[in-house]
Amino acid sequence: MREAMEQRQRRAVLPAAVLGMAGVLALGCQPRILAPSSADGLRAELIERTKERDDARARVAELETELARRSEPSLAGASPDGPLTEADLRELPEATPALASVAISSLSNVKVTGPGTGQLTLVVVPSDGKGRFLQIAGVLRASAAAIVPGKEPMPSAAATIGPKVLREAYRTGFMGTHYTLEIPLRWTGEARPRAVSVSVDFTDGATRRSFPAAATLEVLPERTPPSR
């Protein structure tokens, strides 16, 4: 009888011990929130200074490449045993990517921002002869006209984007590589346009060649604020 009572007591104590151990483990696994310290600011400053240094080095290297390109070594000066032979130099013009077209991407869109106003997000994709994205330097001129059914297209924007601004518009990510420009739009009348006709003309800085493109973009519906 006594042995049976002791067994029942041990069976009752065991679950309690297991639950207690589980509680201790759960407390031990909780993440700790560390208070901010002066080291965090130093790390952030170090990251910023490192980025500034790397950017400066990249600009210097770019200038060195530009100076070397302008020197244009002649074919006659190529050494048969050097890094670039005469055959290599003859192939360079054909192997160097060159601008073939400029297109307005389907990522472009138009949003209404108020009565008679909107914003054009213009996404431009330049390509070489193999259809690959190519960085460009030059001047991009863009114009837009709002299209309202039953009316003549209404000029709503005209913009000239210089070489520096265009370079800063370079974007790359999961949506691809492109140039993105934000252009404000204005139109007259109370009617909301159904679409916007967009035209661009890029003038290549190196060749002075013109690369036009055009597209008609549907105006995105206005977002209504959520009801409370």
Side-chain angles (χ1 to χ4, degrees):
M1 185 71 176
R2 183 177 178 181
E3 292 180 358
M5 291 180 62
E6 290 178 353
Q7 289 178 356
R8 284 196 296 269
Q9 289 176 353
R10 284 196 295 268
R11 284 196 294 267
V13 171
L14 183 59
V18 172
L19 289 174
M21 183 63 70
V24 172
L25 291 175
L27 290 174
C29 293
Q30 289 181 352
R32 292 185 301 170
I33 300 175
L34 300 177
S37 66
S38 59
D40 296 334
L42 292 175
R43 280 193 292 268
E45 184 176 358
L46 178 60
I47 292 173
E48 181 64 24
R49 295 294 175 265
T50 302
K51 183 179 182 302
E52 291 177 355
R53 181 205 62 191
D54 293 343
D55 290 345
R57 287 179 175 176
R59 286 193 294 269
V60 170
E62 188 177 52
L63 289 173
E64 290 174 348
T65 300
E66 179 64 21
L67 289 173
R69 180 168 55 191
R70 292 188 180 187
S71 65
E72 294 183 357
S74 63
L75 293 177
S79 170
D81 301 325
L84 292 179
T85 65
E86 291 186 17
D88 294 331
L89 292 174
R90 282 193 294 268
E91 290 181 6
L92 279 178
E94 185 179 350
T96 302
L99 184 61
S101 66
V102 170
I104 298 175
S105 170
S106 59
L107 296 175
S108 303
N109 62 77
V110 176
K111 297 178 182 178
V112 175
T113 56
T117 62
Q119 179 174 277
L120 165 63
T121 300
L122 179 61
V123 181
V124 176
V125 181
S127 302
D128 65 5
K130 291 183 176 291
R132 300 165 180 167
F133 177 88
L134 182 71
Q135 291 194 52
I136 54 177
V139 177
L140 181 75
R141 293 174 176 82
S143 61
I147 300 174
V148 177
K151 295 184 178 181
E152 291 292 323
M154 294 177 289
S156 54
T160 299
I161 296 93
K164 288 186 177 180
V165 175
L166 184 60
R167 184 178 188 184
E168 293 303 316
Y170 174 89
R171 301 288 185 273
T172 187
F174 72 96
M175 299 296 286
T177 306
H178 48 264
Y179 291 92
T180 297
L181 300 156
E182 304 288 350
I183 301 175
L185 302 175
R186 287 188 175 276
W187 55 82
T188 57
E190 298 180 358
R192 175 179 171 274
R194 295 274 186 86
V196 171
S197 176
V198 182
S199 299
V200 300
D201 194 341
F202 173 73
T203 302
D204 182 41
T207 64
R208 307 298 191 272
R209 290 186 62 199
S210 176
F211 296 87
T216 299
L217 307 175
E218 184 179 359
V219 177
L220 298 177
E222 295 183 71
R223 291 185 176 179
T224 56
S227 58
R228 296 182 179 179

